[in-house]
Every structure is written in structure tokens, then in C-alpha cells.
Amino acid sequence: MTQIKLILLGAPGSGKGTQAKFITEKYNIPQISTGDLLRNAVKDQTEVGKKAKVFMDEGKLVPDKLVLELLEARLAEPDCEAGFILDGYPRNIAQATDLERITEIDLVINIEVDFNLLVERITGRRTCKTCGAIYHIIYSPPKRKALCNNCSGELYQRDDDTEETVKKRLKTYETQTKPLIEYFLKKGKLRTLVSDSTIDMMRLKVESLLKETFY
Ligand code: AP5
């Protein structure tokens, strides 16, 4: 099977994590979410986690050096040999150039969502504490209230998913991450998918783009 090295780019709440989970299942390549790596470090109270928490609570980017440390360690794991999906990395031009030093990327999928929908999507999100599955109280509700369909784990709302922090995160995206669209466009790697439809419709759009690109 072809090696797939993919970046999912998009604002907070655009659906990167949701689509990454489908791609992982279909293509058997790991989802590497720097947000998840950081949240695990915070939960485990590592040195990186303690430093990162301050920035995450403020809706700011964690310093590049700290994130790179986590990312490099993760990419060195054997399951990344067949490819990977980067979900939430890079987040600024400096991270994009750091990444180029480590590995080459085949495709960047930019998920575009109407700004007004993002706050609603994020504040309604619920995540499984055990397996990380993503739900939405309206758009993708669990079958049993507050319990994961896959593993019966408890669903929770992320600390940074409050309306106040979400607005700060969206501002950070506008100023620091959005310029990456132009950056990857110039490199001929970027394809944009507009997410104006259901989760399943988006999944079909992503699948068709991957088929077109890799097979
Ligand atoms: P991170 O965890 O990466 O969060 P994010 O980028 O803000 O993205 P989200 O996880 O909020 O959204 P998503 O696009 O994955 O959407 P989802 O699929 O869940 O980062 C958190 C923090 O960590 C950052 O603020 C920063 O501090 C730090 N950080 C992380 N990476 C960093 C880096 N590289 N450098 C520095 N700092 C870093 O979907 C959202 C909701 O919408 C869900 O409820 C879902 O069910 C629903 N939904 C999805 N698609 C649809 C659809 N088509 N229709 C209706 N609902 C939908």
C-alpha cells in the first residue's frame, strides 16, 4: 500500500479530529494530534505538560520547541513508518519549516468552515475519556447519554472548549495558522474541502480526495 503522509489543516472545530479518525480506520495509519499529545502531557503532569497548560488555558499556541519535542518522539515510533496524519501540526510557519527538516509531506487537506459554525461545533463537542472518540450533542450524539458508543467510556467537555477560550483559539488560528494556507498552496501541496455538510458527507469528500491523490 502507498505511504500516506498527510496534514489536516483547519480552524479549531473544523472537524480535523473527526475526519482523522475515519482516515486512520480506513488506511491504517496513525492520527498524530499535537493537541492530544499535549493533553496527555498535562494529565501526566510532565515538565512539558506543566509548561504547556498555561498556554492551552489561554487559547494560545504552546511554544514551538515544546511541541516539536513531543512530535519528534511520536514520529520515531514504528507505526509511523507507513505514514501518518498530522492533526493540528504545523500551526505556524516556523513549525512548518521545522517539519520540513524532519520529514516530507504528500498532501495538506485544508478544511474550511463558516466562522459562525465553529463556536457552536466546539462548545457542543464531547470527547470520550477512554478512547478519544468525538461526539457532538446535536450533530453526532452518543446513543446513551454521556457514554461512548465504542467503549462505554465517560464523555467529557475539554477544559479549553468554553466559549471564552474558543474565541481566543479562533483568533490565534486567524493570526498564526491561517497563513499556512498560502504557504502550502505555493508548494503545490494544498487542497481545500469546504465543510458545509454533515460529518458523513465530509467523510466522502475526504475519501474521494485521498483516492484521487494516492491511487
Ligand atoms: P487541538 O486539540 O489541536 O485543538 P484545535 O486545533 O483547536 O482543534 P479541535 O480539536 O478543537 O477541533 P477539530 O478540528 O479537531 O474538530 P473536531 O473533529 O473535534 O489543540 C488544543 C490546544 O493545544 C491549542 O489551542 C494549543 O494551545 C495547543 N496545541 C495543539 N497543537 C499545537 C501546536 N502544533 N503548536 C502549538 N500549540 C498547539 O470537531 C469539532 C466538533 O464538531 C465535534 O463535536 C464534532 O462532532 C463536530 N463536527 C465535526 N465535523 C462536523 C460536521 N461536518 N458537521 C457537524 N458537526 C461536525
Side-chain angles (χ1 to χ4, degrees):
M1 188 181 256
T2 323
Q3 193 190 48
I4 300 179
K5 292 184 176 177
L6 195 68
I7 291 175
L8 293 183
L9 187 65
S14 55
K16 303 181 294 295
T18 301
Q19 295 305 324
K21 294 215 168 8
F22 296 143
I23 303 169
T24 289
E25 277 166 27
K26 186 155 173 110
Y27 294 91
N28 204 21
I29 49 172
Q31 168 195 11
I32 301 177
S33 154
T34 42
D36 286 345
L37 293 177
L38 288 163
R39 277 185 290 280
N40 287 338
V42 171
K43 193 175 74 191
D44 296 342
Q45 298 192 325
T46 65
E47 282 312 307
V48 171
K50 283 180 200 161
K51 288 180 193 154
K53 187 173 187 328
V54 183
F55 296 92
M56 294 168 83
D57 287 347
E58 278 292 304
K60 292 180 181 163
L61 293 185
V62 173
D64 298 339
K65 199 168 161 270
L66 296 182
V67 186
L68 185 62
E69 203 178 298
L70 291 176
L71 181 77
E72 282 195 289
R74 181 65 187 89
L75 286 178
E77 289 179 32
D79 63 338
C80 293
E81 275 169 24
F84 47 77
I85 309 154
L86 290 181
D87 160 10
Y89 193 96
R91 280 258 225 301
N92 58 27
I93 304 284
Q95 291 186 5
T97 51
D98 282 341
L99 183 64
E100 272 164 4
R101 277 195 290 272
I102 310 173
T103 187
E104 200 166 316
I105 293 297
D106 303 307
L107 175 70
V108 180
I109 302 182
N110 173 40
I111 305 181
E112 213 169 80
V113 181
D114 185 284
F115 199 79
N116 296 321
L117 281 179
L118 294 170
V119 176
E120 188 200 6
R121 281 198 189 175
I122 302 179
T123 50
R125 171 173 46 201
R126 299 293 181 269
T127 308
C128 175
K129 262 188 188 167
T130 311
C131 74
I134 300 168
Y135 297 88
H136 189 281
I137 51 173
I138 298 166
Y139 302 120
S140 178
K143 291 183 184 133
R144 292 162 299 163
K145 195 167 183 270
L147 290 179
C148 178
N149 294 347
N150 306 331
C151 70
S152 299
E154 190 190 331
L155 303 188
Y156 80 108
Q157 186 168 26
R158 270 169 43 180
D159 289 347
D160 61 347
D161 277 355
T162 60
E163 197 163 333
E164 195 195 342
T165 312
V166 168
K167 285 187 177 152
K168 289 184 191 161
R169 285 162 58 200
L170 290 172
K171 205 164 181 191
T172 303
Y173 167 79
E174 284 291 320
T175 54
Q176 302 197 45
T177 309
K178 214 171 172 185
L180 286 174
I181 296 177
E182 191 61 29
Y183 179 87
F184 286 117
L185 202 57
K186 280 194 184 140
K187 291 187 179 281
K189 305 243 171 184
L190 187 108
R191 297 288 301 273
T192 292
L193 296 178
V194 177
S195 176
D196 53 0
S197 49
T198 62
I199 293 173
D200 284 342
M201 285 299 294
M202 263 314 279
R203 176 189 191 155
L204 294 177
K205 284 191 200 179
V206 171
E207 277 179 12
S208 131
L209 176 56
L210 289 176
K211 254 191 211 154
E212 192 185 300
T213 312
F214 293 104
Y215 298 98

